[in-house]
Amino acid sequence: WKDAQVKLQAGWHALRIDYLDHGGSYWFEARWAPPGRSPGPIPSRLLSWTEEDLARALAPVQAPPPVLRVLGDAGNVVDTVPIAQARLQDPTWSWPVGDASFQGWPMTLGTRMFDHGIGLYGPGEVDFLLDRRFQRFQGMVGVDAHTYGDAHTRVQILGDGRVLWNSGVIHPWDPPAPFDVDVTGVRTLTLKQVEAGLFEGRGDGVDWVNPVLR
């Protein structure tokens, strides 16, 4: 339990609680302790939603598309490159997720969490059409800490079918693996995940975090 105190004037007050689960029981509880009373649940009769707040809370979250960001000379985002094709073998998670893991959770590599990137559940391949417009492909990659797989996989970066970078075997407890790949003249960039575990057919959730083209 984390406790704090605040003095309030009589009347209504806006209350906001931001909650992010990082694994475990997926459970959260807020209590209050008015003066002279023991901590306990906040009575529902004391809580009120405006119609605007209720509509916002119940509105579906619009997930961002999984894209590669393009950085300009000043380091600002000037464009994005969408996925041209995905060939992921698991039917449940057959399409990559933008800015989240394959489950839609925060991307977590080792003990770090990341806001931007692409989450997918492999084995499989994802293609991006570069049309020879870029010189560098940079970022980090790793197995998500909440993978459902057997925790042994490796990834590759391919340019027009040729292997440009190979991660070697990686696991959820490993730190993110950085990459900086020359993609000059590359038409099709492929992010490939290859099963490296002990059980045939088992995959892993992989996060490509902060992937950018220059």
Side-chain angles (χ1 to χ4, degrees), residues 43-93:
S44 60
R45 61 182 174 80
L46 300 181
L47 299 175
S48 175
W49 292 70
T50 66
E51 290 187 5
E52 180 181 357
D53 289 338
L54 189 60
R56 184 184 301 113
L58 297 180
V61 176
Q62 299 298 320
V67 298
L68 300 181
R69 296 185 297 170
V70 179
L71 299 187
D73 294 337
N76 57 316
V77 178
V78 296
D79 199 1
T80 59
V81 177
I83 292 175
Q85 186 178 10
R87 300 176 296 279
L88 302 180
Q89 296 180 19
D90 192 288
T92 303
W93 296 291

Side-chain angles (χ1 to χ4, degrees), residues 90 93 102-103 120-123 143-153 170-173 193 195-199 201-206:
D90 192 288
W93 296 291
F102 70 102
Q103 302 171 86
L120 54 86
Y121 190 85
V143 179
D144 193 89
H146 303 112
T147 185
Y148 285 163
D150 56 11
H152 301 77
T153 197
I170 52 178
H171 313 89
W173 52 85
Q193 182 178 344
E195 176 57 29
L198 305 177
F199 306 100
R202 293 292 299 274
D204 281 289
V206 167

Side-chain angles (χ1 to χ4, degrees), residues 76-192:
N76 57 316
V77 178
V78 296
D79 199 1
T80 59
V81 177
I83 292 175
Q85 186 178 10
R87 300 176 296 279
L88 302 180
Q89 296 180 19
D90 192 288
T92 303
W93 296 291
S94 59
W95 190 257
V97 181
D99 294 346
S101 73
F102 70 102
Q103 302 171 86
W105 299 354
M107 294 178 294
T108 308
L109 300 181
T111 59
R112 298 176 59 187
M113 302 175 72
F114 298 87
D115 293 328
H116 299 293
I118 299 175
L120 54 86
Y121 190 85
E125 300 178 356
V126 180
D127 294 337
F128 298 86
L129 299 182
L130 304 190
D131 294 329
R132 299 180 175 178
R133 294 187 295 147
F134 306 102
Q135 295 179 330
R136 312 298 304 181
F137 178 47
Q138 302 167 327
M140 295 185 292
V141 64
V143 179
D144 193 89
H146 303 112
T147 185
Y148 285 163
D150 56 11
H152 301 77
T153 197
R154 60 187 177 93
V155 298
Q156 297 174 333
I157 299 173
L158 287 72
D160 298 326
R162 181 170 59 91
V163 176
L164 305 177
W165 184 83
N166 195 330
S167 69
V169 179
I170 52 178
H171 313 89
W173 52 85
D174 294 332
F179 57 85
D180 185 349
V181 179
D182 185 353
V183 293
T184 303
V186 171
R187 291 181 179 272
T188 301
L189 179 73
T190 301
L191 308 183
K192 182 176 182 179

Side-chain angles (χ1 to χ4, degrees), residues 13-27:
H13 297 270
L15 174 66
R16 170 176 168 171
I17 299 175
D18 292 320
Y19 166 60
L20 174 65
D21 197 288
H22 192 49
S25 60
Y26 313 110
W27 171 79

